[in-house]
């Protein structure tokens, strides 16, 4: 079956611009996670959705970052006024109900010039 | 303090040999879960194996086994009969708190290279 998909696969933007990163989880998966992975590091938790609501957004670094999941499926991570330090791979993962194994997408590589 | 520590930035192993990738963790919770993921150069994280803190037996999944030493807070991954396709980054991760918690922490990873 189809895995987690993320679009775009690569995004280059200029400092100060707004970007949206999309995640399509596996069908039927209720939990959705966003992570940020900087070069040479492991994934760092950003936000977690259970259904439509953000159950935990404690990992978002500041108020320039926001994520939504309006219908409990597709999620969008939004970054306002991008900074060079936002350059990283943004990973999305989903889990089925009653299972905690996370299935990851291929990530979006964001480069802020 | 780091929640997950992987002290081997890079490892080499001869094809068909076994290799152990180290992972130690830090938590005061009694209930937690430990995971290993593989990240090939394509970037996608692939789930390999899971160990619950209350599981008495070491987890095994095919060529992967997790050497769980609770008192030492270590969860080393053992890959038997290494294959060229095993060359990748390997990440140890912990779910802190009871099942259903969303507090996941990843280590910095170990780069494994399998030599023909």
């Amino acid at each position: 079956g189809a895995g987690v998909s993320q679009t775009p696969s690569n995004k280059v933007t200029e400092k100060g611009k707004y970007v949206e990163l999309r995640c399509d989880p596996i069908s039927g998966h209720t939990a959705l996670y966003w992570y940020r992975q900087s070069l040479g590091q492991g994934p760092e938790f950003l936000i977690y959705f259970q259904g439509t609501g953000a159950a935990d957004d404690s990992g978002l670094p500041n108020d320039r970052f926001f994520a939504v999941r309006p219908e409990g499926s597709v999620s969008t991570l939004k970054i306002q006024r991008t900074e060079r330090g936002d350059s990283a791979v943004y990973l999305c993962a989903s889990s089925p109900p009653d299972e905690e194994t996370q299935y990851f997408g291929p990530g979006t590589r964001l480069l802020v010039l | 303090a780091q929640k997950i520590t992987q002290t081997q930035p890079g490892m080499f192993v001869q094809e068909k040999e076994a290799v152990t990738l180290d992972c130690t963790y830090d938590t005061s919770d009694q209930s937690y879960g430990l995971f290993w993921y593989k990240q090939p150069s394509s970037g996608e994280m692939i789930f390999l194996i899971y160990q619950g803190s209350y599981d008495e037996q070491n987890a095994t999944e095919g060529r992967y086994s997790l050497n769980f030493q609770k008192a030492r807070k270590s969860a080393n991954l053992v890959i038997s009969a290494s294959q060229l396709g095993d060359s990748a980054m390997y990440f140890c991760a912990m779910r802190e708190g009871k099942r259903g918690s969303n507090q996941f922490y990843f280590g910095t990873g170990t780069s494994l290279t399998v030599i023909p």
Side-chain angles (χ1 to χ4, degrees):
Chain A
V4 177
S5 64
Q6 292 186 246
T7 54
S9 53
N10 292 281
K11 176 71 176 177
V12 180
T13 191
E14 293 178 344
K15 180 174 177 292
K17 298 289 188 183
Y18 167 83
V19 296
E20 289 190 352
L21 312 179
R22 176 187 168 108
C23 172
D24 273 278
I26 295 172
S27 177
H29 283 199
T30 52
L32 186 145
Y33 302 79
W34 282 99
Y35 292 87
R36 179 168 69 177
Q37 187 175 20
S38 300
L39 196 62
Q41 300 295 316
E44 175 190 8
F45 169 78
L46 294 177
I47 187 169
Y48 158 68
F49 288 89
Q50 183 60 254
T52 59
D56 185 346
D57 64 358
S58 62
L60 296 178
N62 51 61
D63 61 5
R64 294 187 297 105
F65 289 74
F66 188 70
V68 296
R69 195 187 185 196
E71 297 178 0
S73 178
V74 171
S75 176
T76 304
L77 178 66
K78 308 180 180 192
I79 310 174
Q80 298 177 321
R81 304 182 304 281
T82 52
E83 300 177 357
R84 293 194 179 89
D86 298 335
S87 297
V89 176
Y90 289 82
L91 294 167
C92 176
S94 67
S95 297
D98 300 322
E99 184 180 327
E100 59 181 340
T101 298
Q102 296 181 37
Y103 298 86
F104 282 80
T108 293
R109 286 159 182 75
L110 176 65
L111 177 61
V112 182
L113 300 177
Chain B
Q2 292 290 327
K3 290 287 186 181
I4 295 288
T5 301
Q6 294 181 253
T7 57
Q8 305 156 314
M11 288 284 285
F12 292 86
V13 63
Q14 203 74 40
E15 193 179 4
K16 300 180 185 176
E17 297 292 312
V19 63
T20 298
L21 306 184
D22 295 341
C23 172
T24 57
Y25 58 93
D26 181 29
T27 182
S28 56
D29 287 351
Q30 296 301 308
S31 179
Y32 51 89
L34 298 159
F35 303 78
W36 276 92
Y37 283 86
K38 172 184 179 181
Q39 189 176 43
S41 55
S42 59
E44 192 162 341
M45 301 277 283
I46 302 166
F47 166 74
L48 295 178
I49 195 166
Y50 165 79
Q51 178 89 38
S53 58
Y54 293 117
D55 295 340
E56 295 185 354
Q57 301 273 359
N58 284 343
T60 60
E61 288 286 348
R63 295 186 298 110
Y64 305 107
S65 60
L66 197 151
N67 184 0
F68 181 43
Q69 298 190 36
K70 197 169 184 176
R72 295 185 178 184
K73 293 189 175 179
S74 76
N76 298 341
L77 176 70
V78 180
I79 305 174
S80 63
S82 298
Q83 301 172 357
L84 296 178
D86 294 336
S87 295
M89 285 291 292
Y90 288 81
F91 290 94
C92 179
M94 175 176 66
R95 181 262 299 145
E96 191 170 40
K98 63 183 180 182
R99 190 180 178 91
S101 160
N102 58 281
Q103 295 297 321
F104 281 86
Y105 302 92
F106 285 78
T108 52
T110 295
S111 175
L112 177 67
T113 301
V114 180
I115 304 166

